[in-house]
Amino acid sequence: MKVSLYATNNDFDNFSTMSSLKDVCSGLPLDPLPPQRDHDDSVPHAPVRTPHLTPEEERLALQNALRYFPPELHGVLAPEFAQELRDYGHIYMYRFRPQCEMRAYPIDEYPARTRQAAALMHMIMNNLDHRVAQFPHELVTYGGNGQVFGNWAQFLLTMQYLSEMTEDQTLVMYSGHPAGLFPSHRGAPRVVITNGMVVPNYSSREEYEKMFALGVTMYGQMTAGSYCYIGPQGIVHGTTITVMNAGRKYLGLNDLAGKVFVTSGLGGMSGAQAKAAVVAGCIGVIAEVSEDALVKRHKQGWLMETTSNLDECMNMIRRYKREKKTTSIGYLGNAVDLWERLVQEYDSTGELLADLGSDQTSCHNPYGGGYYPVQLTFTEANEVMHSDPLRFKNLVQESLRRQITAINKLSERGMFFWDYGNAFLLECKRAGADVSKEGDTLGTRFRYPSYVQDIMGDIFSLGFGPFRWVCTSGNPNDLATTDEIATSVLEDIINKGVPESAKQQFQDNIRWIKEAGIHKMVVGSQARILYADRVGRIAIATAFNQAVADGKLQGPVVISRDHHDVSGTDSPFRETSNIYDGSAFCADMAVQNFVGDSFRGATWVALHNGGGCGWGEVINGGFGLVLDGSEDAGERAKMMLQWDVSNGVARRSWCGNQNAKEAICRAMDQNSKLKVTMPHAVEDDTLLERAFRN
C-alpha cells in the first residue's frame, strides 16, 4: 500500500488550519500551504541554539529540510526556513504547527486502523500538550532540549503513517524522522524508534548541536522521544521516594515534618520537586530563575507559595520549621544566591536552615539553557548564551564553583546533599569545583553520592523501578479504577509474603497511590506511576488487561516505564553509578533491553543516546505495550516484563550487588527456564595484592 505524504485540496475542507484530528492525520497540507504562523509569545520558547554552522552547512541544513516538500514549493519555503535557522538555530517549520489543540484525546477519536496505532497517537499528542510540554512549539517535552520530533513536518508525517498502519507493518523512526512503514508481522513492534545513534567518536555536545541543526539527529531525552512522558507526575513520584528514603538514611526519620529540603529548578520535569516535598511531608524550598516557570507551577497547584525576596524566604523557612508545616516555597531567583544566603544565615546565627539538599536543574545541557549563571539576569543570560557562548560558559562554570562552595560549607555543618543524576556534580567537576572523592579510581564517584549510589541503587537492584500506565479512554474514572486494582494487587502480594528488604517499597508505593489521588497528580493524560518489581509489574499488568476484557475499563491501557530503571539505562553517573566492576561505562544492558523487549511483545521500543545526564553520557532503552484485553496482550505482558526487569537484576548481580543476587535467585526459583550466570566473590582481598607481588 502506497502512503501519500501530501494532503490535497480534495482531501478535506479547510485543511490548511489543521484544526481537527482528521486534518492532523492527513499528511502535509500543501495545496494551498497553511499561512505562516507568528511567533506566539503566550507560550515559553526554547532558548536560541548556537550550532556554529559554516555557510556550506547552513545550505545543507536548508536542503535537508526542503526534502519533505515538492520542488514547486521550495521557492516559498526556502527563505522562510533559512530565516528560522538564523533566528533560532534550527528549522522547526512553524508554518506547519497545527491549530488543533494538542492533547491526549480519547483513543476512539483517532482516525486509525489499529488500536495500537491510536494508542501511540494518544501518547504522542500528550507529549506535546501545552500543559505537559516545556516548549511545545519547538516540540520539546522536558529537560530544555528533549525533543519529540525535530520539526512539525515529521510530526504530521508520523501521524499520517500511524493512521494508515495495519497490524502487519512497522513504522521506523530515525531520530524524529519517519523513515516509513515496512512490512513485518502481527507479533512485531508497531514502531521502532532510535534517537541520536551517533558513531561514538562524534557523540560530543558540539557535534550534536551541528547535527541537530542539520536535521539529521535528535536528542529524545528518555521519555520525550519515545512518546512515554506522563507529565511531572513521574518525577514527583521518584523525588518523593528519594526524599523519603534520604530522610531514613541520613536523618534516621520516617516523619520529615519540620525538615527542610533545598533544591532548584521548576521548569520541565523538575517542576515536580515542590509537590514531592509536600507528599513526603517536609518543607521544600526551590529556586527558579524563570518567572514563567515559577508562575506556571504555582497556578497548577504544584507550588504552594512564592517569594522573590531572600529575607522573606528565610523568615518563611524559620516559621515553618517551628510550626512543622508541610509546604513548598518557590524562590524566584538564582540557586547560587539562595545557597550563599543559607551559608550567611548559619555564619551569623549558627542556625542550619537546610537539612537535605540537591539540585535538579538541566545540567545535562548547562550552556544551552539548562543552568543559568548567577552573574546575569534571566533575560541577560538568554542573550549572552547566544551572542557570546564562550563568555556564557565561563560564567556558568564560575557560578557552579560558587554553588559548590556554599553547599560544601553547609554540608560540613550537618546538611546532607546528594546528586540527582542530572550531571550537576559532573559539570561542577568539569568547572574545577571541589567535588572530587578521594580514592576514586573509576572516575564515577564524587564528594557527594549520586542518589542511585547512596539512596536508590539497592532498590533498583531488588528489581523495583518506575512502572507507568495510561488510560487511553481519557476517562478519570478509568484511572481511579486502575488505582484501586494496583493497590489491591500490591496488598495481596504483601499478604502472601515478601522479603523484608522489599516490603518497605511495596508499602511506600501503596501510600503513593493514595497520596497521588489526593494531590491531583494528573497533568495531560490519565496516567499513574509507581515503583514495582518483576512480580508486581506482571501482576498489575495482567489485572489491567483482564479489567479491559471484562469491561471494567472503558479503553485499552498503555504500560511503559521511565527508561531510568533497573534495566533500561547505562549511565555511569546515574543508573549504573553503583556498579564498581569497571562496566559502568558499558551499554550492553540498555541495548539488550531494547532488542529483548522488541521480540517479547512490546508494541513499540526506543533506543536513545542521551537522557538525564546528557548527550554522549547515556544509552537508554524504553518500551510501550498496549493492553487491549486480549489473551495475546496478557501473554505479551508476562513475557516482556519478566525479561525487562530480570535483564538488569542479572547484570547488577554479576557486578556483585547482594540485593540483586537474592532477587535473581528468587526469580530463577520461580521460573525453571531462567538460568543466570552467578558470580563467585573473592573472599580474601589480600589475595589480589599477593598475586601481583609474587
Side-chain angles (χ1 to χ4, degrees):
M1 178 185 66
K2 183 178 180 181
V3 178
S4 171
L5 300 182
Y6 310 119
T8 68
N9 203 28
N10 296 324
D11 289 324
F12 47 86
D13 295 329
N14 197 31
F15 66 87
S16 62
T17 62
M18 294 176 284
S19 57
S20 72
L21 288 180
K22 181 182 177 184
D23 299 352
V24 166
C25 296
S26 296
L28 291 171
L30 304 176
D31 183 18
L33 284 170
Q36 282 189 265
R37 308 292 299 275
D38 293 331
H39 208 55
D40 187 349
D41 293 331
S42 68
V43 298
H45 289 281
V48 174
R49 296 178 177 275
T50 312
H52 299 296
L53 300 183
T54 65
E56 292 77 13
E57 288 166 339
E58 287 181 333
R59 289 193 290 273
L60 181 57
L62 182 57
Q63 176 180 304
N64 287 345
L66 291 172
R67 286 183 291 188
Y68 289 103
F69 307 95
E72 57 268 25
L73 295 177
H74 290 180
V76 175
L77 296 176
E80 180 182 322
F81 290 171
Q83 192 64 46
E84 284 188 18
L85 185 61
R86 292 191 196 102
D87 291 345
Y88 309 116
H90 186 73
I91 300 171
Y92 295 105
M93 306 183 187
Y94 290 113
R95 179 194 288 266
F96 295 94
R97 179 173 61 81
Q99 290 187 356
C100 171
E101 181 185 358
M102 302 298 288
R103 63 181 176 87
Y105 292 84
I107 189 171
D108 291 332
E109 296 185 22
Y110 290 97
R113 300 171 68 175
T114 73
R115 300 288 267 176
Q116 293 93 335
L120 274 149
M121 292 172 165
H122 180 94
M123 301 292 283
I124 287 171
M125 291 191 72
N126 184 66
N127 272 28
L128 295 170
D129 186 325
H130 286 207
R131 297 166 298 173
V132 174
Q134 187 178 10
F135 305 124
H137 291 186
E138 287 75 43
L139 302 110
V140 172
T141 299
Y142 67 89
N145 61 349
Q147 305 283 152
V148 188
F149 299 98
N151 59 57
W152 286 103
Q154 293 176 347
F155 165 76
L156 292 171
L157 294 180
T158 299
M159 295 296 283
Q160 183 186 15
Y161 278 132
L162 289 171
S163 72
E164 299 282 352
M165 173 188 289
T166 64
E167 291 187 347
D168 57 1
Q169 292 174 303
T170 293
L171 175 60
V172 175
M173 299 295 300
Y174 279 15
S175 293
H177 167 66
L181 291 169
F182 291 80
S184 58
H185 57 86
R186 185 184 181 90
R190 296 282 67 81
V191 181
V192 175
I193 305 161
T194 52
N195 283 309
M197 290 292 105
V198 172
V199 175
N201 273 355
Y202 303 92
S203 190
S204 67
R205 283 179 183 150
E206 294 75 18
E207 291 292 339
Y208 169 72
E209 288 298 335
K210 179 180 294 187
M211 286 186 281
F212 181 61
L214 291 174
V216 296
T217 197
M218 186 183 85
Y219 183 66
Q221 262 283 359
M222 290 190 161
T223 52
S226 62
Y227 322 142
C228 291
Y229 189 58
I230 60 168
Q233 179 182 169
I235 195 65
V236 172
H237 175 264
T239 307
T240 298
I241 297 296
T242 300
V243 172
M244 288 168 59
N245 280 290
R248 293 171 185 139
K249 181 177 181 65
Y250 297 138
L251 305 177
L253 298 172
N254 275 312
D255 182 358
L256 293 177
K259 299 302 178 183
V260 178
F261 170 49
V262 177
T263 182
S264 50
L266 284 169
M269 289 180 68
S270 54
Q273 295 180 105
K275 182 68 78 173
V278 171
V279 176
C282 63
I283 301 159
V285 184
I286 307 96
E288 171 56 55
V289 293
S290 167
E291 186 172 7
D292 286 343
L294 182 135
V295 169
K296 177 180 180 179
R297 298 307 178 197
H298 190 239
K299 285 183 176 178
Q300 287 178 332
W302 294 77
L303 178 65
M304 296 177 71
E305 303 180 61
T306 68
T307 180
S308 58
N309 184 293
L310 276 173
D311 291 336
E312 182 180 31
C313 185
M314 296 302 112
N315 290 335
M316 293 166 77
I317 293 172
R318 285 192 171 90
R319 182 167 72 252
Y320 297 149
K321 278 179 71 72
R322 287 195 305 270
E323 298 171 357
K324 294 190 174 182
K325 178 179 177 179
T326 297
T327 190
S328 57
I329 304 165
Y331 166 62
L332 179 58
N334 197 285
V336 178
D337 287 328
L338 175 61
W339 284 110
E340 290 181 341
R341 178 59 183 269
L342 289 167
V343 172
Q344 182 183 330
E345 291 295 315
Y346 182 88
D347 289 343
S348 60
T349 68
E351 192 174 6
L352 184 65
L353 296 181
D355 301 286
L356 301 170
S358 191
D359 180 281
Q360 237 167 286
T361 52
S362 297
C363 275
H364 69 277
N365 182 33
Y367 311 124
Y371 183 95
Y372 282 77
V374 68
Q375 306 90 331
L376 302 174
T377 67
F378 181 65
T379 302
E380 290 170 343
N382 280 324
E383 170 59 31
V384 175
M385 187 190 311
H386 178 63
S387 64
D388 193 348
L390 180 58
R391 179 185 174 222
F392 186 81
K393 179 178 180 179
N394 290 335
L395 291 174
V396 164
Q397 292 192 324
E398 180 187 330
S399 190
L400 286 167
R401 291 193 295 270
R402 282 176 56 179
Q403 185 169 343
I404 283 296
T405 298
I407 289 168
N408 287 348
K409 289 179 180 178
L410 292 170
S411 69
E412 288 165 1
R413 291 154 175 76
M415 180 193 73
F416 295 93
F417 186 88
W418 69 88
D419 182 87
Y420 211 91
N422 58 335
F424 174 68
L425 290 183
L426 178 61
E427 289 304 325
C428 288
K429 178 180 180 180
R430 289 169 175 167
D434 181 13
V435 292
S436 295
K437 181 178 180 66
E438 187 176 345
D440 174 36
T441 58
L442 297 176
T444 61
R445 309 191 77 170
F446 298 102
R447 176 172 182 162
Y448 303 105
S450 155
Y451 78 114
V452 172
Q453 288 173 312
D454 216 35
I455 303 169
M456 300 298 289
D458 279 348
I459 295 170
F460 276 0
S461 295
L462 284 167
F464 284 86
F467 177 69
R468 298 175 169 183
W469 67 89
V470 175
C471 298
T472 64
S473 66
N475 189 335
N477 293 330
D478 271 9
L479 183 60
T481 300
T482 58
D483 281 349
E484 292 170 5
I485 292 170
T487 301
S488 176
V489 166
L490 295 182
E491 289 174 341
D492 186 53
I493 290 172
I494 292 175
N495 291 335
K496 289 178 179 177
V498 295
E500 198 60 35
S501 57
K503 188 174 183 180
Q504 182 70 66
Q505 301 312 312
F506 281 107
Q507 291 173 336
D508 282 352
N509 283 282
I510 291 170
R511 169 185 168 182
W512 160 260
I513 296 176
K514 295 174 181 177
E515 291 283 348
I518 295 169
H519 287 275
K520 300 178 180 178
M521 294 292 177
V522 170
V523 177
S525 59
Q526 295 294 319
R528 186 68 75 227
I529 182 174
L530 55 80
Y531 268 32
D533 64 355
R534 172 184 54 85
V535 173
R537 296 185 209 204
I538 292 173
I540 293 171
T542 303
F544 286 170
N545 194 57
Q546 190 60 51
V548 176
D550 294 343
K552 294 179 181 178
L553 297 173
Q554 300 306 303
V557 174
V558 171
I559 60 170
S560 68
R561 56 165 168 73
D562 193 344
H563 303 191
H564 165 65
D565 195 10
V566 180
S567 303
T569 300
D570 288 294
S571 175
F573 299 104
R574 193 162 80 175
E575 285 79 5
T576 48
S577 60
N578 66 330
I579 288 177
Y580 303 122
D581 68 348
S583 70
F585 293 91
C586 301
D588 300 81
M589 179 176 70
V591 175
Q592 288 282 356
N593 190 259
F594 162 81
V595 174
D597 283 353
S598 71
F599 63 76
R600 287 180 174 88
T603 308
W604 71 94
V605 289
L607 185 67
H608 298 178
N609 172 6
C613 291
W615 180 266
E617 309 283 359
V618 187
I619 297 293
N620 66 85
F623 77 88
L625 176 60
V626 179
L627 300 174
D628 59 7
S630 66
E631 184 177 339
D632 176 61
E635 290 305 311
R636 285 169 178 251
K638 292 175 188 176
M639 185 183 299
M640 198 210 71
L641 292 172
Q642 182 86 236
W643 155 257
D644 193 66
V645 177
S646 295
N647 170 40
V649 177
R651 191 264 177 104
R652 294 166 192 276
S653 167
W654 183 245
C655 296
N657 185 283
Q658 190 59 39
N659 277 3
K661 288 181 184 178
E662 294 170 6
I664 204 65
C665 285
R666 283 196 299 273
M668 286 192 284
D669 289 341
Q670 294 164 4
N671 188 337
S672 61
K673 293 182 180 180
L674 178 65
K675 298 182 185 298
V676 172
T677 306
M678 300 298 291
H680 295 286
V682 174
E683 295 178 351
D684 179 6
D685 285 345
T686 64
L687 172 74
L688 306 177
E689 274 192 47
R690 294 202 312 272
F692 284 106
R693 276 205 304 270
N694 292 338

